[in-house]
């Protein structure tokens, strides 16, 4: 079964600080995604990647950067964290071709609190 | 642009009763629809998926039928269990970009004993 892990699982940061959320997948999927989940908004796409070295903006990229140094790893970076970025962040991986419905496999989530 | 609408934020039912969670979508392209389920403090997991018009798809007692004529993909179960309490997301593969999926806001299903 698909395996996506995230670290840290919980993080408390200060306003203006730098935060890096890490994601690792052992599925050999080309595509990886970062979402945030907030009550009343569902899952919103921040950044995604087609493969090592690529990053693309999702629907709410402002205030976030992403890095995909390898097939397995995809990081989300908050250069200057703000309280509005307090949320639960999910990483996901998946194949994206027309044949398999772009099903996504999610990690366990990271709960980030920015004070 | 593409969109997914889930009209109920919270559905509360007693165990053993049937349930239907609504999902409608909007897209100008051929749709691929999904239902994901997220139990408390867990990651979302795929429950159902479909791209075939008027064909019922089933998994773990849940079922849904994609109706392109009404742009709907409602999730149903004939008899809910306590373990079905969770957050359910309807999702649409958007545009011609097979890599991106748009999620609805989710419906909390709360099953009472």
């Amino acid at each position: 079964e698909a395996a996506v892990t995230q670290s840290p699982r919980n993080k408390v940061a200060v306003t203006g600080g730098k935060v890096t959320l890490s994601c690792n997948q052992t599925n050999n999927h080309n595509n990886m995604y970062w979402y945030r989940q907030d009550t009343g908004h569902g899952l919103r796409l921040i950044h995604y990647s087609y493969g090592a070295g690529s990053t693309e903006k999702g629907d709410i990229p402002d205030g976030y950067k992403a890095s995909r140094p390898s097939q397995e790893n995809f990081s989300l970076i908050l250069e200057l964290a703000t309280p509005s970025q307090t949320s639960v962040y999910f990483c996901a991986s998946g194949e994206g071709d027309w044949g398999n419905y772009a099903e996504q496999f999610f990690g366990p989530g990271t709960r980030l609190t920015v004070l | 642009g593409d969109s997914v609408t889930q009209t109920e934020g919270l559905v509360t039912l007693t165990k053993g009763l049937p349930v239907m969670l609504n999902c409608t979508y909007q897209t100008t392209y051929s749709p691929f629809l999904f239902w994901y389920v997220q139990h408390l403090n867990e990651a979302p997991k795929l429950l159902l998926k479909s791209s075939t018009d008027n064909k019922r798809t089933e998994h773990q007692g849940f079922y849904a039928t994609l109706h392109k004529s009404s742009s709907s993909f409602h999730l149903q179960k004939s008899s809910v269990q306590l373990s079905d309490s969770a957050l359910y997301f309807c999702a649409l593969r958007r545009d011609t970009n097979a890599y991106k999926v748009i999620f609805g806001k989710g419906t909390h299903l709360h099953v009472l004993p």
Side-chain angles (χ1 to χ4, degrees):
Chain A
E1 182 162 330
V4 180
T5 57
Q6 295 180 228
S7 64
R9 294 295 312 279
N10 291 280
K11 173 75 177 178
V12 179
V14 297
T15 298
K18 182 177 181 178
V19 177
T20 300
L21 307 183
S22 300
C23 178
N24 177 274
Q25 56 108 354
T26 59
N27 314 316
N28 199 33
H29 287 156
N30 289 327
N31 308 323
M32 295 187 74
Y33 311 81
W34 276 106
Y35 294 90
R36 63 178 286 177
Q37 183 176 27
D38 304 284
T39 303
H41 290 280
L43 290 163
R44 294 182 290 175
L45 181 63
I46 306 170
H47 284 287
Y48 63 103
S49 169
Y50 298 128
S54 85
T55 60
E56 302 289 336
K57 293 181 179 179
D59 298 317
I60 53 164
D62 292 347
Y64 303 93
K65 293 183 180 179
S67 174
R68 182 86 182 269
S70 65
Q71 178 82 339
E72 297 79 19
N73 295 296
F74 189 39
S75 297
L76 185 68
I77 303 153
L78 291 67
E79 295 278 4
L80 294 170
T82 68
S84 65
Q85 294 175 311
T86 293
S87 187
V88 179
Y89 292 84
F90 285 98
C91 176
S93 75
E95 293 297 354
D97 61 48
W98 293 101
N100 60 14
Y101 298 83
E103 176 182 350
Q104 297 182 9
F105 298 87
F106 287 83
T110 295
R111 186 172 297 275
L112 173 65
T113 302
V114 182
L115 302 176
Chain B
D2 293 356
S3 65
V4 174
T5 300
Q6 295 180 247
T7 52
E8 310 100 352
L10 172 66
V11 172
T12 302
L13 284 174
T14 302
K15 181 180 68 172
L17 291 178
V19 66
M20 185 171 81
L21 305 183
N22 291 313
C23 174
T24 56
Y25 64 89
Q26 184 173 19
T27 182
T28 56
Y29 299 93
S30 294
F32 285 76
L33 272 297
F34 309 80
W35 276 101
Y36 283 82
V37 57
Q38 183 181 22
H39 288 93
L40 188 62
N41 295 324
E42 295 185 7
K45 294 186 295 187
L46 182 69
L47 181 60
L48 294 171
K49 60 185 181 182
S50 180
S51 64
T52 305
D53 198 13
N54 297 318
K55 180 180 178 182
R56 174 165 153 162
T57 182
E58 301 187 35
H59 184 63
Q60 296 181 340
F62 286 91
Y63 58 95
T65 302
L66 176 59
H67 292 296
K68 294 183 180 180
S69 60
S70 58
S71 299
S72 67
F73 190 57
H74 305 320
L75 182 67
Q76 297 180 263
K77 190 174 186 184
S78 58
S79 175
V80 294
Q81 304 303 309
L82 294 175
S83 59
D84 294 328
S85 292
L87 180 59
Y88 292 82
F89 291 104
C90 183
L92 166 72
R93 194 182 72 188
R94 62 191 298 180
D95 302 323
T96 54
N97 184 334
Y99 307 102
K100 293 172 67 174
V101 172
I102 183 168
F103 287 84
K105 294 183 177 182
T107 298
H108 278 100
L109 175 61
H110 184 45
V111 181
L112 301 171

